[in-house]
């Protein structure tokens, strides 16, 4: 994959060095009383990154404004260029669009704190902090919020309490999608910061959501990564599943939580889920994705979704996707009570929306179309473009064992464009798949914009070109996967 397997201290020192340059520039501008604009991506990683930078700027006494962007394109770049502020900071976005930003913002003071593959050289007036520059894998080893955390820590050591948000962001970007379901490499250094300073505890256990706080069947139903057909999103069926297994959902009239299960019951549950997955045509070892590192935020209230870093990231994702991104950032910056209540309602709404769309895709044959080298979900007319990304992620956890990446799209309301999401699997990446490259080159062919990571990427393209775009993507995937076969 072009990255060193082991990350050396030197690589981390180089990244820290870049982060220090960014921090010094930020502090200089603050000293001068300059106004600073921060633009961040609207997903869980982007919101965590915005929360980290927002909090660090607030503590340093900066005059700043945060703005969340759904994506970058000419329109957005023009709007940002017209703002003409003394310092513009991008978090969890920017590197993938360096060509565009270079054209619009060259000569200006710009900081990019990102983990997407840099698309072009960075202009001299930009400070870019990005793991790829030091051959660190930005898809797996550190996220956008992790990079923002490096910069915040370089601004002030006391920002170490923001390490947890770097972990929440990395989990939001699925950087634990390995066999151990564990954050590693540079992310591990962030985990260590959080543990050492008493903000985080890490243990290995079942990863169902609400492990300590929810009745078991609810915890099962809330888990969508991996997606378990007929259990994810389905509380009644989850309850029946437990009862069938002879696992008592209640003790003395009180619901039991996962932490109340004996280790024998946990084993029984896991092996039954593995059998269930096999019966649904999925690989049984998918069940092992349900065991991994549990990251507990020790300073958060035990009965809230913020207590678990994975649930925190789902909460942020929900706010971002349901047009409540400001709420997500407010929570990252420390707002609780009312904000948290509101976010809890947003998550319910988000879960219901996703369950509805997943049902739509799976209830009728042909809605998930199989082409020669890809699966396609044509969501125009039904799927909401705002949740196309999580729907695509969830479908990919059930499908990628079948050996093809999945591409989903939906129309963007009020525009003659569609939003495309694509997801692959580790096995496909090993065979040479790089969806970021494919989304970029296929969308450029149709005057759209696209990019992202090897395993997860997206694009916006004109509606009229969808058919030709899908065909191009299918051909490019085929080429990449065949290239590897003939090359080996
Ligand atoms: O939107 P979606 O979640 O499918 O995007 C997957 C990844 O691709 C994200 O990291 C996102 O930043 C990136 N992306 C991109 N350019 C786009 C759309 C998505 O770089 N036009
Ligand atoms: Zn990210």
């Amino acid at each position: 994959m072009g990255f060193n397997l082991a990350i050396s201290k030197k690589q981390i020192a180089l990244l820290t060095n870049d982060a220090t340059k960014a921090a010094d520039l930020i502090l200089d501008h603050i000293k001068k009383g300059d106004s600073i604009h921060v633009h961040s991506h609207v997903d869980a990683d982007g919101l965590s990154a915005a929360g980290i930078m927002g909090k660090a700027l607030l503590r340093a006494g900066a005059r700043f404004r945060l703005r969340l962007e759904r994506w970058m394109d000419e329109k957005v770049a023009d709007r940002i260029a017209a703002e003409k502020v003394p310092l513009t900071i991008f978090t969890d976005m920017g590197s993938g669009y360096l060509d565009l930003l270079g054209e619009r913002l060259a000569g200006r003071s710009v900081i990019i704190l990102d983990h997407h593959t840099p698309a072009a050289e960075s202009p001299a007036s930009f400070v870019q902090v990005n793991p790829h520059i030091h051959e660190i894998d930005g898809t797996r080893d550190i996220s956008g919020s992790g990079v923002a955390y490096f910069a915040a820590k370089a601004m002030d050591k006391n920002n170490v309490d923001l390490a947890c948000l770097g972990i929440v962001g990395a989990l939001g970007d699925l950087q634990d999608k390995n066999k151990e379901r564990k954050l590693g490499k540079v992310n591990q250094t962030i985990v260590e910061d959080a543990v050492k300073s008493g903000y985080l505890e890490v243990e290995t256990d079942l990863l169902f959501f609400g492990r300590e706080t929810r009745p078991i069947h609810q915890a099962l139903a809330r888990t969508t990564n991996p997606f378990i057909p007929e259990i994810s999103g389905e509380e009644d069926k989850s309850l029946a599943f437990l009862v069938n297994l002879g696992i008592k959902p209640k003790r003395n009239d009180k619901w039991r939580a996962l932490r109340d299960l004996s280790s024998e019951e946990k084993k029984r549950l896991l092996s039954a889920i593995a059998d269930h997955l096999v019966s649904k045509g999925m690989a049984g070892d998918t069940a092992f994705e349900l065991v991994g590192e549990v990251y507990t935020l020790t300073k958060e209230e035990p009965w809230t979704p913020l207590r678990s870093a994975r649930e925190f990231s789902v909460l942020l994702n929900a706010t971002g996707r349901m047009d409540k991104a400001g709420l997500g950032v407010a929570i990252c910056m420390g707002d609780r009570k009312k904000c948290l209540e509101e976010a809890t309602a947003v998550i319910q709404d988000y879960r219901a929306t996703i369950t509805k769309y997943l049902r739509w895709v799976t209830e009728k044959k042909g809605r998930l179309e199989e082409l020669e080298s890809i699966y396609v979900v044509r969501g125009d007319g039904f799927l909401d473009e705002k949740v196309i990304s999580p729907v695509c992620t969830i479908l990919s956890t059930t499908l990628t064992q079948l050996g093809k990446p999945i591409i989903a799209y939906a129309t963007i309301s009020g525009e003659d464009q569609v939003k495309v999401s694509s997801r692959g699997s580790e096995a496909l990446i090993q065979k040479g798949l790089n969806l970021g490259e494919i989304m970029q080159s296929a969308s450029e062919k149709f005057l759209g914009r696209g990019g992202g990571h090897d395993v997860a990427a997206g694009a916006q393209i004109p509606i009229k070109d969808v058919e030709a775009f899908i065909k191009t993507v299918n051909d490019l995937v085929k080429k990449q996967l065949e290239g590897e076969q003939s090359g080996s």
Side-chain angles (χ1 to χ4, degrees):
M1 279 182 287
F3 291 102
N4 298 334
L5 285 178
I7 301 256
S8 66
K9 280 200 174 125
K10 188 170 165 216
Q11 283 169 294
I12 295 182
L14 289 169
L15 189 69
T16 308
N17 201 28
D18 292 350
T20 306
K21 273 188 212 149
D24 290 346
L25 185 59
I26 295 171
L27 294 172
D28 271 357
H29 280 278
I30 296 176
K31 238 185 246 157
K32 286 194 268 173
D34 285 344
S35 133
I36 301 173
H37 283 189
V38 181
H39 300 268
S40 196
H41 190 210
V42 80
D43 68 2
D45 186 27
L47 296 184
S48 306
I52 290 171
M53 216 1 87
K55 196 83 194 179
L57 290 171
L58 193 69
R59 285 173 176 167
R63 285 175 51 215
F64 70 101
R65 202 195 73 182
L66 288 174
R67 184 163 175 144
L68 301 158
E69 311 284 359
R70 297 182 51 210
W71 51 65
M72 176 60 62
D73 59 16
E74 280 77 3
K75 250 202 237 165
V76 178
D78 284 341
R79 191 190 75 224
I80 293 171
E83 289 169 0
K84 293 205 168 70
V85 276
L87 176 65
T88 304
I89 304 176
F90 292 98
T91 55
D92 191 38
M93 67 190 310
S95 294
Y97 294 86
L98 263 171
D99 46 350
L100 184 62
L101 296 177
E103 268 168 30
R104 304 297 203 274
L105 298 168
R108 308 255 193 101
S109 203
V110 171
I111 293 174
I112 296 180
L113 308 171
D114 195 7
H115 68 133
H116 291 91
T117 312
E121 285 290 310
S122 181
S125 69
F126 286 26
V127 174
Q128 180 182 212
V129 189
N130 187 311
H132 291 270
I133 301 171
H134 305 298
E135 293 180 356
I136 298 169
D137 183 351
T139 304
R140 293 163 190 81
D141 301 341
I142 181 168
S143 66
S145 53
V147 175
Y149 169 68
F150 267 62
K153 193 172 146 191
M155 283 170 71
D156 185 342
K157 281 203 172 65
N158 290 324
N159 286 331
V160 71
D161 62 330
L162 304 175
C164 286
L165 287 175
I167 293 155
V168 169
L171 292 168
D173 265 5
L174 309 183
Q175 296 204 325
D176 67 326
K177 229 173 171 296
N178 44 47
K179 277 213 174 79
E180 293 93 28
R181 293 298 305 270
K182 179 181 174 158
L183 294 172
K185 311 269 179 81
V186 189
N187 279 324
Q188 181 59 32
T189 68
I190 303 176
V191 168
E192 278 163 20
D193 273 6
V195 171
K196 270 190 216 144
S197 48
Y199 290 94
L200 187 77
E201 272 168 19
V202 186
E203 60 192 303
T204 308
D205 198 0
L206 290 175
L207 295 180
F208 297 112
F209 276 16
R211 188 176 72 110
E212 294 186 27
T213 55
R214 296 263 162 209
I216 309 162
H217 65 289
Q218 284 185 3
L220 288 180
R222 270 154 203 266
T223 303
T224 53
N225 175 25
F227 185 80
I228 312 167
E230 291 170 19
I231 286 185
S232 298
E234 310 266 5
E235 279 187 20
D236 293 349
K237 288 184 183 163
S238 299
L239 184 57
F241 188 83
L242 287 177
V243 173
N244 271 339
L245 270 180
I247 295 180
K248 290 206 171 70
K250 284 187 175 180
R251 177 172 294 143
N252 303 333
D253 271 355
K254 238 188 117 205
W255 292 109
R256 297 166 79 200
L258 269 167
R259 62 160 179 206
D260 302 323
L261 292 187
S262 68
S263 51
E264 184 280 321
E265 282 175 314
K266 282 184 189 172
K267 270 190 204 141
R268 191 159 12 125
L269 178 59
L270 196 61
S271 103
I273 289 176
D275 291 347
H276 174 75
L277 288 169
V278 171
S279 78
K280 297 288 158 201
M282 294 168 65
D285 56 6
T286 310
F288 291 102
E289 289 181 30
L290 289 166
V291 181
E293 302 295 82
V294 176
Y295 299 96
T296 305
L297 274 60
T298 54
K299 309 280 183 203
E300 298 294 344
E301 289 294 323
W303 298 91
T304 68
L306 307 184
R307 180 87 173 171
S308 147
R310 287 176 204 279
E311 285 186 65
F312 197 149
S313 79
V314 169
L315 177 143
L316 292 182
N317 230 329
T319 63
R321 305 291 174 198
M322 306 303 277
D323 284 333
K324 300 272 187 207
L327 186 63
V329 177
I331 291 173
C332 288
M333 288 181 66
D335 279 359
R336 294 290 179 268
K337 289 202 171 84
K338 251 202 137 146
C339 280
L340 197 52
E341 260 168 45
E342 204 182 323
T344 309
V346 172
I347 302 185
Q348 276 171 4
D349 208 10
Y350 172 76
R351 284 187 204 284
T353 311
I354 291 193
T355 305
K356 177 173 99 184
Y357 291 141
L358 286 170
R359 278 211 193 109
W360 179 81
V361 175
T362 47
E363 80 195 351
K364 202 163 153 195
K365 254 197 153 171
R367 285 199 177 138
L368 179 81
E369 211 177 305
E370 185 171 3
L371 304 188
E372 189 183 1
S373 302
I374 57 175
Y375 286 101
V376 182
V377 175
R378 299 168 192 275
D380 36 347
F382 190 79
L383 288 193
D384 183 342
E385 150 265 323
K386 291 190 199 107
V387 291
I388 196 82
S389 160
V391 166
C392 194
T393 300
I394 292 171
L395 286 172
S396 76
T397 63
T398 59
L399 282 175
T400 43
Q401 290 85 358
L402 302 177
K404 292 177 188 178
I406 173 160
I407 320 293
Y409 69 81
T411 32
I412 305 174
S413 83
E415 293 192 34
D416 51 4
Q417 300 243 332
V418 296
K419 164 81 183 80
V420 185
S421 275
S422 64
R423 301 288 184 269
S425 66
E426 278 309 313
L428 290 165
I429 305 309
Q430 300 297 339
K431 287 186 185 158
L433 181 74
N434 187 327
L435 289 170
E437 282 174 11
I438 290 179
M439 285 294 124
Q440 191 184 353
S441 68
S443 61
E444 277 170 6
K445 194 170 158 189
F446 301 103
L447 306 178
R449 280 268 163 197
H453 307 290
D454 51 12
V455 72
Q460 297 83 244
I461 53 149
I463 296 178
K464 63 176 177 41
D465 297 317
V466 162
E467 280 318 304
F469 174 84
I470 295 288
K471 186 174 178 322
T472 306
V473 172
N474 183 62
D475 293 347
L476 289 172
V477 170
K478 187 173 173 204
K479 246 191 223 155
Q480 279 188 346
L481 296 176
E482 277 177 356
E484 170 67 16
Q485 274 159 23
S486 58
S488 59

